[in-house]
Amino acid sequence: MSTPKIGFVSLGCPKALVDSERILTQLRMDGYQLVPTYVDADVVVVNTCGFIDSAKQESLDAIGEALKENGRVIVTGCMGARAEEILAAHPQVLAVTGPHAYEAVVGAVHQHLPPPPRSHDPFLDLVPAQGIKLTPRHYAYLKISEGCNHRCSFCIIPQLRGDLVSRPIGEVMDEAERLVAAGVRELLVISQDTSAYGVDLKYRSGFWQGRPLRTRMKELCEALGSLGAWVRLHYVYPYPHVDDIIPLMADGKIVPYLDIPFQHASHRILKLMKRPAHAEAVLERIQGWREVCPDIAIRSTFIVGFPDETDEDFEELLDFLDEAELDRVGCFKYSPVDGAPANALPGAVPEEVKEERWQQLMELQSGISAEKLQRRVGRHIEVLVDRVENGAATARSHADAPEIDGVVHIADAAGLQQGALVRVEVTGADDYDLHARRIDG
């Protein structure tokens, strides 16, 4: 009997990528072979994204392509929470399961493509201790919770993934240890709300390495910082206790980098979004963080064209960006999401106005980014090498998360390998990237 073969398509955010890794690990342990092409697969699993309309269309297109090229398709992920939409477009799919429904999607695979006989031993058949990973070997996403307790008016994540459910801290730390032991040099901590970690458990103590450890953001960061890898925090909601993390960055325990989605700066728009609405306090806190840790890099995302956003609201956002001098900024034009309360708000902003505001914001931020990067010219920094080709290397500094931020270009890459940590001198900068030369062998 031939080994059953699975093809896999993973769409969406890093949190969905972690879901894909967990599903693939279980399928591999169950004896399935993972293949890279439609033609070689007996069944194709598509892990979908369903957050905004463009993501849903991408998911539907991917399902359609898998059906055309293979014909036997199982759908899971965020869009799977609305199975009726998938089945209306593609009634021939074999099964539809929702987000982080690991057992359900594996069960569907078992139903439509039975696993091989139990002579398969997952501990002998090359399933690595850290599980199947879809990222390069030197970095990995570490998901610490599911769901979210916030009810932002533009977001449907709680509808798709439920309220906050924190993973036990011992389980998180055991996974982190396995990843580092397998060669991971950077742990990217992700969730829907990283700074709320442990709230649902009332910060109760778990156990790691035989000692008690509270299920709370600060204690988690301290423990992760002891493993010897870069630790980078994503999706941090600006609670007051985030201030307690900054000294860990100043002491080199974790990477001095915060990914905080502020979304806007206008008090009025933030209230409509149901987000914290005190831009002045945010500016004071950013200043305080920089006093404690001058090298901290702050990334954020913003939405322009939110319903009823006026010229004055937008100017307030630009003023905030000008004063905050954030290191990395992403900007999205508001798009209605099925089921989001913001859809009912009056004052829809015309598409051409959204585009103008997006262009204006990105032009402003481009100048801020370029100026901040120029200040780093001449400095000696540590970088993590992502890629080496044609005698040159692409790396990242503490200020650069993979896929979303800038990079550091190293011209003299002889002898360098992916995953290496090296010291470089910054020799130049453009709007988003740095250029550097090695200063060690």
Side-chain angles (χ1 to χ4, degrees):
M1 179 181 176
S2 62
T3 302
K5 300 177 179 64
I6 296 290
F8 205 98
V9 179
S10 184
L11 304 172
C13 65
K15 295 175 284 294
L17 185 73
V18 174
D19 291 347
S20 295
E21 291 173 340
R22 181 167 174 177
I23 295 165
L24 286 169
T25 297
Q26 186 58 57
L27 291 174
R28 187 69 189 88
M29 291 181 70
D30 289 347
Y32 294 91
Q33 181 181 345
L34 309 177
V35 296
T37 64
Y38 291 121
V39 69
D40 292 328
D42 298 311
V43 165
V44 176
V45 178
V46 180
N47 189 9
T48 60
C49 179
F51 183 49
I52 59 177
D53 289 346
S54 60
K56 290 199 297 185
Q57 188 57 54
E58 181 185 17
S59 295
L60 290 173
D61 290 346
I63 295 166
E65 179 180 292
L67 285 168
K68 178 182 176 182
E69 299 295 331
N70 181 278
R72 290 169 54 80
V73 177
I74 292 170
V75 178
T76 189
C78 283
M79 196 174 177
R82 296 179 173 177
E84 67 281 357
E85 294 185 37
I86 294 170
L87 293 173
H90 301 296
Q92 61 271 54
V93 299
L94 300 176
V96 179
T97 68
H100 59 88
Y102 313 114
E103 294 82 4
V105 67
V106 171
V109 172
H110 286 187
Q111 177 184 347
H112 295 282
L113 183 66
R118 271 299 174 185
S119 59
H120 164 77
D121 186 340
F123 299 103
L124 299 178
D125 289 353
L126 303 180
V127 178
Q130 74 274 17
I132 304 296
K133 292 294 170 186
L134 300 179
T135 51
R137 183 173 181 266
H138 62 288
Y139 70 80
Y141 293 102
L142 181 68
K143 184 157 64 170
I144 63 172
S145 66
E146 286 285 1
C148 183
N149 288 341
H150 296 289
R151 296 296 183 266
C152 302
S153 64
F154 55 83
C155 182
I156 59 169
I157 291 297
Q159 297 176 37
L160 298 176
R161 291 182 171 261
D163 289 336
L164 176 75
V165 178
S166 300
R167 291 179 63 193
I169 195 164
E171 178 183 304
V172 172
M173 288 305 305
D174 286 345
E175 179 182 354
E177 273 193 300
R178 290 194 299 271
L179 290 169
V180 173
V184 168
R185 307 299 294 270
E186 178 180 19
L187 297 168
L188 300 119
V189 179
I190 59 170
S191 65
Q192 301 297 338
D193 180 1
T194 294
S195 41
Y197 179 64
V199 167
D200 55 312
L201 301 176
K202 296 183 171 57
Y203 305 120
R204 71 170 177 240
S205 292
F207 286 89
W208 175 58
Q209 294 184 340
R211 61 185 177 88
L213 193 64
R214 292 191 71 185
T215 309
R216 191 168 60 178
M217 184 185 184
K218 182 181 179 182
E219 283 80 354
L220 176 64
C221 289
E222 289 172 336
L224 290 172
S226 71
L227 297 179
W230 282 12
V231 177
R232 189 181 300 275
L233 303 180
H234 287 276
Y235 311 107
V236 176
Y237 204 86
Y239 299 122
H241 67 259
V242 172
D243 296 354
D244 299 334
I245 306 302
I246 311 304
L248 299 179
M249 298 179 179
D251 292 340
K253 303 295 185 184
I254 63 175
V255 171
Y257 178 101
L258 275 181
D259 172 15
I260 302 185
F262 292 123
Q263 307 296 9
H264 214 282
S266 161
H267 180 88
R268 195 178 68 85
I269 294 299
L270 287 167
K271 286 189 70 176
L272 290 174
M273 290 179 169
K274 297 189 176 177
R275 301 280 297 181
H278 302 286
E280 301 84 358
V282 169
L283 288 170
E284 291 176 5
R285 292 184 71 196
I286 290 174
Q287 181 180 351
W289 295 340
R290 287 173 173 155
E291 289 173 356
V292 174
C293 183
D295 285 336
I296 189 171
I298 302 173
R299 149 170 275 279
S300 192
T301 52
F302 297 89
I303 298 172
V304 296
F306 192 79
D308 208 30
E309 181 190 56
T310 64
D311 290 341
E312 291 76 15
D313 294 319
F314 180 63
E315 287 298 327
E316 193 171 341
L317 173 55
L318 295 182
D319 290 343
F320 172 85
L321 287 172
D322 202 33
E323 189 168 352
E325 291 192 330
L326 302 178
D327 298 85
R328 306 295 190 189
V329 166
C331 182
F332 301 92
K333 289 166 277 190
Y334 173 76
S335 174
V337 178
D338 285 347
N343 296 348
L345 293 173
V349 176
E351 291 301 318
E352 60 271 20
V353 175
K354 293 180 188 178
E355 178 66 25
E356 290 172 5
R357 291 175 180 172
W358 183 86
Q359 294 281 0
Q360 193 174 348
L361 187 150
M362 293 309 295
E363 183 178 351
L364 171 65
Q365 181 57 36
S366 175
I368 293 170
S369 173
E371 182 180 339
K372 295 202 73 172
L373 290 179
Q374 282 294 333
R375 298 175 197 167
R376 301 179 71 186
V377 174
R379 292 185 59 184
H380 292 184
I381 61 174
E382 185 178 54
V383 298
L384 179 62
V385 177
D386 280 337
R387 188 169 61 255
V388 180
E389 55 187 5
N390 300 323
T394 303
R396 290 179 291 107
S397 72
H398 78 270
D400 309 308
E403 307 294 338
I404 57 174
D405 292 329
V407 297
V408 181
H409 299 285
I410 307 172
D412 49 337
L416 287 184
Q417 294 183 338
Q418 183 186 63
L421 283 168
V422 295
R423 297 285 297 176
V424 299
E425 179 185 358
V426 180
T427 58
D430 52 35
D431 287 356
Y432 298 106
D433 299 335
L434 295 175
H435 300 267
R437 67 173 184 87
R438 294 167 64 184
I439 56 175
D440 61 356

